[in-house]
Amino acid sequence: SGGILSTVDYNLFNTPEVQHKGSAAIQREAGIPTTAVGKIIDPLLAEKLLQDNSATLICIGRAFLNNPHWAYGAADVLANSESFKYPDSYDWCIGWKGFYKWRQDLHKDENNN
């Protein structure tokens, strides 16, 4: 939306949903590809926006600034060893062959305690 529409009440307290709805409306009504942006830090939200045809592309900004390995965490949540392949150089340290199971077990322990 770019913050230029006079019909939208832009303020500091708006949720990213304002921009996500704008992306969906433009894609639906104009029939052109759009990008969703705005505080997308959850891989499940990013996937939902794609699956709902609210956007063609998802831009991840702040999440990458906070964690340059965000994509690997997203792969842990959304993918499996058949649908996503870690680069060979990373597979043993963060991939399915390495610490993936350890990270999953760690998250299970955090959620159970």
Side-chain angles (χ1 to χ4, degrees):
S1 62
I4 59 171
L5 300 175
S6 61
T7 58
V8 177
D9 179 26
Y10 293 103
N11 63 57
L12 296 175
F13 302 108
N14 278 353
T15 65
E17 189 175 83
V18 170
Q19 293 187 35
H20 302 165
K21 285 182 178 179
S23 173
I26 291 168
Q27 184 158 304
R28 181 181 59 252
E29 294 175 21
I32 59 173
T34 61
T35 300
V37 65
K39 299 181 185 175
I40 300 172
I41 58 172
D42 182 3
L44 296 173
L45 172 61
E47 182 66 18
K48 182 179 183 314
L49 291 168
L50 291 171
Q51 295 299 322
D52 292 347
N53 290 321
S54 296
T56 307
L57 178 70
I58 305 296
C59 287
I60 307 295
R62 289 185 181 105
F64 271 121
L65 291 174
N66 291 331
N67 177 7
H69 303 289
W70 183 90
Y72 293 119
D76 287 349
V77 172
L78 298 171
N80 59 47
S81 60
E82 272 77 60
S83 64
F84 177 80
K85 181 169 178 3
Y86 285 96
D88 290 338
S89 57
Y90 288 99
D91 202 24
W92 285 99
C93 61
I94 63 171
W96 310 112
K97 296 176 185 174
F99 290 115
Y100 170 76
K101 183 179 179 334
W102 175 78
R103 286 195 316 274
Q104 294 304 315
D105 292 342
L106 181 66
H107 292 302
K108 287 178 190 173
D109 291 343
E110 289 174 353
N111 293 330
N112 291 333
N113 291 334

